Amino acid sequence: MPKFTTMARCNTKDCHGATSPKGSPALNEYVLWKAKDPHSKTFTTLYKGPSKAMGLAMPTPIPKVAESPKCLTCHSKIVPPAQVVANAKWSLQSGVSCEVCHGPAEKWIDPHVTPKEKDWPHEKSVAVGMIDLRDVTTWAVTCASCHLQIDHEMVAAGHPKLHFELVDYNDRTGAHWKTEKHPSMQPGFDARVWTTGQAVSFAEALRNLAARVKAGAPEPRLKEARELAAAYGRMVKLLGAATAEVPDDAAKMEELATAMDGQAKTLAAADATFLAKLAAEEAPKDFAAARQTALAFKALSSKPEAKAAVDALALSVAAKNEEKVDAAKFAADYEAVRALFK
């Protein structure tokens, strides 16, 4: 098993720590991540008052959340010393740092620095441990497996509910990977990412719901998890997925999640026809469905005349607004948006 080399091998000015972009890759990825990406602050969040209060509100109190595997699973990564290269020390304080998402770098970090000279294409790095984030499905799974999995007791203790849409989230993280040669700059890329993201998110939301059912979660926690899964299911149904209804049985939820893992790779990217189908739908009745609907229009629309209305609709259902959304106003704003796409 390849070992971790730590962020110290990535963030120097001669690697990914340049103060200004130098090409493609830009080599300032670490600087952008540190300045703009919430992943760089996931660990320090655990030291803040609300995080400490959540820990103490758990059924089995967690007095030190910054040391709890329950929290560190997503807010950083626990790496045993035996899985770190010699003369290096893994730092939990780095949060969701380079190798947490890109994979242990022991066997690829040196040759990938000078790929042309060493005949080392991206595929060779993937073969020896790099997580292939150029593959859209792998990228979506890497993100959604954290962003859509949460213990129901943590939500009851005050942890924010998880609402996730891949294109929207990446737009808000600084997108440190975007350069003129990156696949994300190609026409149609957001539509491909959004489509795959919906299928993957449906699968992960189903697993989250199944876990809550098995844990005997109270009805409010089951309801919110079911609504979230159904919001993704509604989208993949419109995309043409074979099955998109949320089952009642936990085992069947997990079975459907596995099936959706495969469909995520084969669904055709959403286009204007999809938006026309979505516009034919009535206004969503719950927050999760409203949010995914608004963000679908935002990710997929290419109509300049619709941008202001779509952006306003999406902003109204930002995750932080869940408890204060005016349902009647959303419905009216939604009617104005859908009229632009019929």
Side-chain angles (χ1 to χ4, degrees):
M1 178 180 292
K3 296 181 178 182
F4 291 81
T5 64
T6 80
M7 192 167 64
R9 287 297 309 275
C10 308
N11 64 5
T12 64
K13 65 180 181 179
D14 294 324
C15 292
H16 293 284
T19 55
S20 58
K22 294 184 176 181
S24 187
L27 302 182
N28 67 337
E29 290 82 5
Y30 168 78
V31 174
L32 291 176
W33 171 85
K34 189 70 175 175
K36 298 182 178 181
D37 196 323
H39 292 102
S40 68
K41 301 172 179 63
T42 51
F43 180 84
T44 56
T45 295
L46 298 178
Y47 281 108
K48 294 183 178 180
S51 298
K52 294 179 180 179
M54 288 175 216
L56 296 176
M58 291 288 289
T60 301
I62 303 174
K64 295 183 178 180
V65 292
E67 298 176 10
S68 168
K70 197 176 190 73
C71 305
L72 292 171
T73 296
C74 282
H75 282 261
S76 186
K77 185 177 181 68
I78 298 173
V79 179
Q83 291 181 18
V84 181
V85 297
N87 302 316
K89 184 178 180 181
W90 183 261
S91 175
L92 291 171
Q93 286 85 350
S94 296
V96 181
S97 55
C98 311
E99 289 171 286
V100 176
C101 295
H102 291 278
E106 176 191 21
K107 296 183 178 181
W108 53 263
I109 193 163
D110 287 330
H112 103 290
V113 172
T114 52
K116 291 182 180 179
E117 292 85 342
K118 296 183 179 178
D119 186 27
W120 193 265
H122 172 75
E123 292 73 18
K124 283 189 177 181
S125 292
V126 171
V128 294
M130 177 185 275
I131 296 173
D132 188 7
L133 298 181
R134 294 184 187 179
D135 177 80
V136 172
T137 304
T138 302
W139 179 18
V141 170
T142 301
C143 298
S145 59
C146 263
H147 284 279
L148 288 171
Q149 297 290 327
I150 188 166
D151 188 319
H152 72 91
E153 292 177 342
M154 296 180 78
V155 176
H159 192 289
K161 298 173 187 177
L162 300 186
H163 293 287
F164 182 70
E165 192 281 292
L166 190 56
V167 175
D168 169 71
Y169 190 79
N170 286 320
D171 282 347
R172 294 185 288 110
T173 58
H176 60 266
W177 57 87
K178 280 197 171 184
T179 59
E180 67 274 10
K181 293 182 181 179
H182 191 271
S184 62
M185 302 303 289
Q186 299 301 312
F189 185 82
D190 277 358
R192 174 73 268 161
V193 170
W194 181 88
T195 301
T196 303
Q198 290 297 306
V200 167
S201 295
F202 185 35
E204 294 301 329
L206 285 167
R207 293 186 176 99
N208 183 54
L209 175 58
R212 292 191 184 188
V213 170
K214 290 179 177 180
E219 182 53 34
R221 301 286 79 85
L222 292 176
K223 180 176 182 290
E224 69 194 19
R226 182 175 290 279
E227 287 179 351
L228 185 60
Y232 297 119
R234 174 170 170 258
M235 294 299 169
V236 298
K237 183 178 181 180
L238 289 172
L239 285 164
T243 305
E245 301 299 327
V246 178
D248 294 322
D249 178 74
K252 290 184 178 179
M253 293 172 193
E254 292 172 339
E255 183 180 319
L256 178 55
T258 299
M260 195 53 55
D261 289 338
Q263 290 192 54
K265 302 175 184 294
T266 60
L267 285 174
D271 55 16
T273 302
F274 171 84
L275 285 182
K277 288 182 182 179
L278 186 57
E281 299 270 307
E282 297 297 321
K285 302 301 183 185
D286 61 74
F287 182 81
R291 178 168 165 74
Q292 290 305 316
T293 299
L295 292 178
F297 281 110
K298 184 176 180 182
L300 301 172
S301 172
S302 59
K303 291 187 174 185
E305 68 273 21
K307 186 177 187 313
V310 167
D311 286 352
L313 189 71
L315 183 61
S316 74
V317 286
K320 64 182 180 181
N321 294 333
E322 180 169 6
E323 303 304 326
K324 54 186 178 182
V325 169
D326 183 330
K329 185 177 187 310
F330 176 85
D333 291 345
Y334 174 71
E335 288 300 321
V337 167
R338 69 193 289 236
L340 298 170
F341 292 89
K342 287 184 178 180

